[in-house]
Amino acid sequence: MRPSTDPLPAVSTTTPNVARMYDYYLGGKDNYAVDRERAEQMIATVPLVRETARANRAFLGRAVRFLAGEAGIDQFLDIGAGLPTQNNVHQVAERVNPASRVMYVDNDSMVLVHARALLATNARTGVIQGDVRNPVHIVRHPEVRGLLDLSRPVAVMLVSLMHFIRDEDNPYGLVASLMAAVPSGSCLVLSHVERQREYEDAVAASYARASAPVVARPVEEIGRFFDGMDLVYPGLVNVRQWRPDEEVSPVDPDVRFFGAIGVKR
Ligand SMILES: C[S@@+](CC[C@H](N)C(=O)[O-])C[C@H]1O[C@@H](n2cnc3c(N)ncnc32)[C@H](O)[C@@H]1O
C-alpha cells in the first residue's frame, strides 16, 4: 500500500457497527459484543441473513473475476469496502491480472485500521477514509488520483452499500456523480437488499441506532441505479443467479439481495 498521511482514526465499541455486524454474519472475528448482540437479534428475526451475506460476498468475488478477466478492467474503486475478509477485491483481481490496482474506501474507522495492516506491503492497493455521500472528496482525493488513472475505465464498486443511504441523501444522484467522474467503458457493480414487507420492521429495529440505518428498496428502485447504462448479462438478478459457478434453482426465493454490473456508454 502507498504510505498515507491520514492519522489512524478512533474506533467506537459502544455503537453497533454495520461493517462489524456484516463481518459477524460472514463468520469473521473483527467484531465486538455490541455488534454480535445486534447481529443475533437480526438473525433471530431474519434467519437467512447469514446466508444472504455470504451470497452477496460470493457475487462480489464472481463480479471481480469477470471484470478483471473477460471485461479487461484493471482498476477498481471499491466504496463501502468492508472489513478485510476472505477473497478481498485485490486478491481476486490479482489472481486474474497481477497488474490490477485497487483503491478501497470506507467511512468506518475500523475498516481503515484493518485494511492498512493487510495492505501494508502491496504497492498496487490503497485505502482511504471516505463517505459515498461525498463523492467529490473521493474522486478528487490525491491518493485515489495517485493510484488510479481516471481517464481509463474503472470498476466502481458499491456492493451492499447503497441500502445504508437514505432517500434524503440522494442515493441516485451520488451514484450518477461517481459515474460522471469515470470514462465510457467504466463499470458499476452494485448490490442491494430488496424490501420485503414481512421483514421490514425487524430489519429497521436491528439497525436502529447502529452506525447506519438499512433502507431496503424494491427491485425497480434498485434497477434505477443503472439508468442510462448497459447491463452485463444476466442483468439485475438475485445475487445467487448472477453467473453462478454452480447451478442454482431459478425459483429459489430465499436470498432477497439483487445485484448487477452496468457499463457506462
Ligand atoms: C455490508 S458491508 C459491505 C462490504 C463489501 N462491500 C461486501 O459487499 O462484502 C457495508 C460497508 O459499507 C460501509 N459504509 C456504510 N455507510 C457508508 C458510507 N456512507 N460511505 C462509505 N462506506 C459506508 C460500512 O462501513 C461497511 O464497511
Side-chain angles (χ1 to χ4, degrees):
M1 190 183 77
R2 301 188 165 200
S4 174
T5 46
D6 295 345
L8 280 182
V11 171
S12 165
T13 57
T14 50
T15 303
N17 173 287
V18 300
R20 299 188 313 238
M21 286 169 72
Y22 182 68
D23 176 71
Y24 182 71
Y25 300 145
L26 291 176
K29 302 260 177 287
D30 297 323
N31 45 70
Y32 298 118
V34 68
D35 312 306
R36 292 190 286 275
E37 270 166 37
R38 198 56 82 80
E40 283 295 346
Q41 178 187 334
M42 177 80 172
I43 291 165
T45 42
V46 188
L48 284 162
V49 66
R50 281 202 133 121
E51 203 177 330
T52 303
R54 289 184 188 133
N56 173 67
R57 191 73 201 171
F59 160 75
L60 177 147
R62 295 195 304 277
V64 171
R65 205 175 64 199
F66 165 81
L67 288 165
E70 229 173 291
I73 296 277
D74 62 1
Q75 312 190 86
F76 297 81
L77 180 60
D78 183 12
I79 306 176
L83 284 158
T85 173
Q86 302 294 311
N87 287 323
N88 299 296
V89 171
H90 72 285
Q91 292 160 330
V92 178
E94 281 171 7
R95 278 203 287 273
V96 183
N97 176 1
S100 302
R101 291 173 174 257
V102 179
M103 177 54 80
Y104 291 109
V105 182
D106 205 288
N107 69 348
D108 189 86
S109 315
M110 189 155 151
V111 171
L112 217 69
V113 173
H114 282 251
R116 281 192 194 168
L118 175 75
L119 302 173
T121 56
N122 188 329
R124 287 178 314 280
T125 60
V127 58
I128 60 159
Q129 191 159 24
D131 196 306
V132 73
R133 289 167 294 186
N134 188 353
V136 172
H137 167 253
I138 296 174
V139 297
R140 291 201 185 148
H141 197 289
E143 291 182 38
V144 174
R145 294 278 175 164
L147 186 68
L148 307 181
D149 174 359
L150 299 191
S151 69
R152 291 199 305 109
V154 178
V156 176
M157 311 204 37
L158 305 173
V159 181
S160 188
L161 173 64
M162 295 312 289
H163 46 242
F164 294 117
I165 306 302
R166 298 182 171 96
D167 288 342
E168 53 265 43
D169 287 320
N170 187 18
Y172 300 100
L174 297 174
V175 173
S177 302
L178 286 167
M179 294 313 292
V182 293
S184 162
S186 292
C187 297
L188 170 66
V189 188
L190 185 146
S191 68
H192 196 293
V193 179
E194 186 198 13
R195 181 179 299 156
Q196 285 173 280
R197 287 201 184 285
E198 66 268 42
Y199 293 135
E200 224 165 345
D201 293 345
V203 173
S206 298
Y207 281 84
R209 288 179 299 283
S211 56
V214 168
V215 188
R217 296 188 169 92
V219 183
E220 313 78 66
E221 288 184 22
I222 300 172
R224 275 185 56 205
F225 285 110
F226 298 94
D227 273 0
M229 310 184 79
D230 296 319
L231 292 187
V232 167
Y233 178 84
L236 179 65
V237 291
N238 186 315
V239 288
R240 279 201 158 165
Q241 285 155 352
W242 197 91
R243 298 179 180 237
D245 289 333
E246 295 149 22
E247 195 138 319
V248 287
S249 157
V251 288
D252 191 343
D254 53 1
V255 174
R256 309 308 300 175
F257 220 97
F258 281 73
I261 295 183
V263 184
K264 181 173 173 175
R265 291 179 187 144

